Amino acid sequence: YNVNSCIETADKLFHENREKKALEIYEPLIPEISSEELLSRIAGLYLASKNWDGAFETFRRVIRKNRQNITAREGLKSIYTAYLAETENYLKKNDPSNAAISIDKALKIVQSKKIIHKAVSIHRLLENENKVFELEQLIKKIERDEIEIKISEKIHLAKEEESKNKFKAAIHLYQEAIKIDPQNSTLKKLVDLCSRIKRPDLAEKFTKWFNEYQHSFQEKQKIQSREEF
């Protein structure tokens, strides 16, 4: 068959508002289609017929070509909302198996901690222990990433303050970064700053403070882990 002539036939049907028929012709051609505009149109037809899976796969192809495609991004948001609504409906019907399928599909689009926690509860109901473990690891990874972002922001601000010779403010920001998570690499940056401003006494003072803070921080984490266990 000639792909282009089939697409022309489907386009004609689409413009005549015979969308269902158009989709029937477009569907087997999707692997051959590279146009963002046409793929978005097909995904839109899937959306209109509430075929969320077809819309998701097609919009995902568009996003792979162009992450900034607004139609595809908005489309994925709609599909995400639809999968979450499906999850709720299945839970109301006391059908956790299908609720789990829908929420897992939603998580392929957006991985928010709130939704992951909900997925954990559903999979726990179903005694899917492997999936529960996998999702809990995902939450931990997201939390670690959030911590790293906060620390990076503080360090960035500290360097800015140092560049303006505002050393006290820079030191304070490094301490704030350490309080988020006492990492040796942050202490090194703080100690290096103390040596640049010729204050070995401060380097010694902050190292002592860091070691004590890190020890109590790690003890708290151990207690927390035991309680979770």
Side-chain angles (χ1 to χ4, degrees):
Y1 63 91
N2 183 312
V3 172
N4 289 334
S5 69
C6 290
I7 288 172
E8 279 171 23
T9 306
D11 287 347
K12 187 170 178 291
L13 290 164
F14 174 79
H15 292 299
E16 289 169 0
N17 293 325
R18 294 165 70 190
E19 296 182 346
K20 196 173 175 216
K21 197 76 192 152
L23 185 56
E24 281 173 19
I25 297 171
Y26 282 135
E27 208 161 18
L29 305 175
I30 291 172
E32 314 283 337
I33 296 169
S34 59
S35 154
E36 283 178 42
E37 189 184 344
L38 188 48
L39 285 169
S40 296
R41 174 190 292 173
I42 296 164
L45 292 173
Y46 278 133
L47 265 186
S49 61
K50 297 190 175 177
N51 179 340
W52 314 127
D53 296 355
F56 169 66
E57 290 302 335
T58 314
F59 275 135
R60 195 156 69 159
R61 280 197 62 194
V62 177
I63 289 289
R64 282 193 191 122
K65 289 173 177 298
N66 174 11
R67 291 191 70 80
Q68 304 309 316
N69 186 296
I70 293 166
T71 309
R73 289 169 77 95
E74 291 301 316
L76 287 173
K77 276 186 200 169
S78 303
I79 298 161
Y80 177 70
T81 306
Y83 281 143
L84 292 182
E86 261 187 5
T87 304
E88 290 303 324
N89 287 335
Y90 284 128
L91 289 173
K92 280 174 191 163
K93 291 174 188 168
N94 202 16
D95 181 355
S97 295
N98 276 314
I101 292 166
S102 293
I103 204 163
D104 287 348
K105 286 174 183 176
L107 287 173
K108 283 183 183 170
I109 302 172
V110 180
Q111 294 184 335
S112 79
K113 276 199 295 188
K114 186 182 172 189
I115 302 302
I116 300 169
H117 279 297
K118 187 164 198 130
V120 166
S121 305
I122 295 168
H123 282 288
R124 204 164 259 148
L125 264 178
L126 297 164
E127 297 181 358
N128 293 341
E129 289 311 315
N130 287 348
K131 190 69 184 177
V132 167
F133 178 76
E134 182 192 314
L135 291 166
E136 284 176 340
Q137 293 305 110
L138 183 57
I139 291 168
K140 283 177 184 170
K141 184 192 177 300
I142 290 170
E143 286 172 348
R144 279 197 303 273
D145 290 346
E146 286 171 350
I147 286 168
E148 287 306 322
I149 288 165
K150 284 179 187 169
I151 291 170
S152 296
E153 283 168 356
K154 295 286 183 194
I155 289 170
H156 176 72
L157 291 171
K159 286 175 178 172
E160 277 188 357
E161 293 295 350
E162 187 187 347
S163 69
K164 298 177 204 160
N165 291 334
K166 293 183 177 176
F167 302 123
K168 198 172 179 182
I171 286 168
H172 180 68
L173 284 158
Y174 279 126
Q175 284 184 286
E176 282 188 358
I178 287 165
K179 282 176 186 171
I180 295 167
D181 185 20
Q183 297 177 359
N184 293 337
S185 55
T186 314
L187 172 66
K188 186 180 183 310
K189 289 180 176 73
L190 176 53
V191 168
D192 287 349
L193 168 58
C194 294
S195 75
R196 282 195 293 278
I197 60 172
K198 310 276 190 289
R199 290 293 303 271
D201 57 317
L202 285 181
E204 198 178 318
K205 177 186 157 188
F206 288 131
T207 302
K208 186 172 181 288
W209 166 77
F210 174 88
N211 289 334
E212 286 168 2
Y213 186 83
Q214 190 184 52
H215 176 73
S216 72
F217 187 88
Q218 286 167 348
E219 287 303 309
K220 275 179 199 162
Q221 280 188 321
K222 280 179 200 165
I223 292 164
Q224 198 179 340
S225 296
R226 278 201 296 272
E227 282 171 356
E228 280 173 11
F229 185 73

